[in-house]
Amino acid sequence: MRRDEGPTGPLLLLGRGRDLKTTPTGAVGHEQFAAFEALVDFYGGRQISQLETAPERPALRSVVGARAGSGFRAAFTAADPSLLAEDSLLYLLLDDLPVATLVSGQAVNAALSISGARPPGHRSEYPVNVCAGFTPEGTILTEVRAAGRAPVVTGPVAPSLASDDPLAWHSIEVLPRHAMRRARRIDVWRNADESVSVDVLFRDSYRRVDDIETVIHEYSVTAEIAPDLSAFTACAATGNTLPWVECSAAPASAGNLQGVPLDELRERIRETWTGPLTCTHLNDTLRSLADVPALLDILIDGQPDIPRTSQGA
């Protein structure tokens, strides 16, 4: 989520994802990439002025001019229904576009708070009880009433995403100033009893004007799925970094996935995971678990102990 012309300039969204399967020896058995680049007129109605994808999907040209907000998912799905039918990696990236647009406003608020300026089209009203952070007496709305603007998140310094697994992430460049990143890793494997285990890391981060990258939201999620992929048998979330004290109530909502069929996941979360005991960032993370069956399709003959990683950044 970049603003190369400064915090009040256009928003450039760059989405990149990789599906990767490793063999029992650690070798790469399958690798696939997808990407998109979108330019959003953030202060002119949040319309998408440019959209390019890899692989190319000519049908998606019709969404240029659409709003990068509510209704975008329906618009790009209607333009190219095969994206959802194929459980494609590109679908998972585009599914994040409207929320990434919304989240990117954090960079504007943080940059302009130094000068005390207000962003163009500054909003004076905020939704109530849309998530744990927007409770009526919570930190955000209390600050809005007192100062006329939302408070700025000051998260901890972002640790490196690198680990002892050199294949865990594709290459990720350093964020420029005024930019944010949404990083997600999904690891999937079959156990000896044919049940499926999932391990997820999700992070939204922001690079401040002093060139320090800080974490805004970070969740870890683990889930267990029945051998026949019919439903979740367990799910738990941990809030590694959350911006406000009220947000600590949200991770418990992940437990409600137990018993939810995978083919109903996206719709169920959008319809019922709402209110002050949830988190929109966690909901995005849980919705991405609908990609698990597509990940499992690439495992060699369903053999156990062959993890596969899907990730987007």
Side-chain angles (χ1 to χ4, degrees):
M1 297 166 260
R2 288 180 10 194
R3 286 180 165 82
D4 295 345
E5 298 179 21
T8 59
L11 171 65
L12 177 63
L13 297 175
L14 302 172
R16 293 180 300 146
R18 179 190 67 172
D19 285 346
L20 177 73
K21 179 182 66 182
T22 56
T23 70
T25 63
V28 175
H30 170 88
E31 193 167 16
Q32 182 177 351
F33 292 91
F36 77 82
E37 180 173 323
L39 192 64
V40 178
D41 184 359
F42 192 77
Y43 299 108
R46 300 191 181 182
Q47 270 73 29
I48 298 172
S49 57
Q50 298 178 28
L51 177 65
E52 298 179 4
T53 67
E56 292 186 9
R57 308 288 295 219
L60 292 177
R61 294 170 186 162
S62 65
V63 303
V64 172
R67 188 174 183 272
S70 177
F72 174 75
R73 294 185 181 105
F76 85 77
T77 302
D80 194 343
S82 60
L83 280 175
L84 178 57
E86 296 167 2
D87 284 321
S88 73
L89 180 57
L90 182 58
Y91 178 92
L92 190 62
L93 290 173
L94 291 173
D95 185 70
D96 253 336
L97 188 151
V99 179
T101 299
L102 177 65
V103 168
S104 74
Q106 153 70 23
V108 177
N109 291 339
L112 296 184
S113 67
I114 298 174
S115 63
R118 295 183 184 273
H122 173 74
R123 64 190 300 180
S124 57
E125 296 184 2
Y126 291 78
V128 178
N129 286 330
V130 67
C131 67
F134 281 88
T135 53
E137 303 306 321
T139 305
I140 296 176
L141 295 183
T142 297
E143 180 71 11
V144 168
R145 288 192 295 269
R149 64 185 300 164
V152 175
V153 179
T154 54
V157 175
S160 171
L161 291 171
S163 69
D164 57 1
D165 178 3
L167 297 175
W169 297 92
H170 54 66
S171 60
I172 301 175
E173 73 280 359
V174 175
L175 278 177
R177 291 182 184 180
H178 309 304
M180 297 187 67
R181 171 176 288 128
R182 168 161 287 199
R184 179 185 291 113
R185 170 188 54 75
I186 307 174
D187 285 346
V188 179
W189 65 94
R190 278 197 181 273
N191 301 301
D193 64 357
E194 291 299 310
S195 64
V196 175
S197 294
V198 184
D199 180 83
V200 180
L201 177 70
F202 168 92
R203 177 190 292 178
D204 280 342
S205 60
Y206 162 64
R207 193 170 188 86
R208 305 184 318 205
V209 293
D210 58 3
D211 289 327
I212 295 176
E213 183 179 355
T214 61
V215 179
I216 308 301
H217 284 84
E218 183 177 295
Y219 283 103
S220 297
V221 175
T222 58
E224 301 296 326
I225 300 172
D228 62 0
L229 306 186
S230 59
F232 289 90
T233 57
C235 186
T238 300
N240 302 331
T241 297
L242 301 176
W244 315 113
V245 64
E246 299 83 14
C247 300
S248 61
S253 66
N256 295 331
L257 274 189
Q258 184 172 347
V260 173
L262 267 71
D263 58 2
E264 298 178 10
L265 179 63
R266 286 192 175 102
E267 182 178 358
R268 186 81 68 89
I269 288 178
R270 287 171 183 161
E271 290 181 351
T272 63
W273 259 256
T274 60
L277 296 180
T278 64
C279 170
T280 53
H281 303 260
L282 178 58
N283 290 356
D284 290 339
T285 305
L286 298 178
R287 236 185 25 255
S288 70
L289 297 182
D291 193 46
V292 167
L295 302 181
L296 289 169
D297 283 345
I298 304 178
L299 292 178
I300 301 174
D301 298 326
Q303 292 182 11
D305 300 322
I306 306 177
R308 176 175 178 263
T309 297
S310 171
Q311 57 171 23

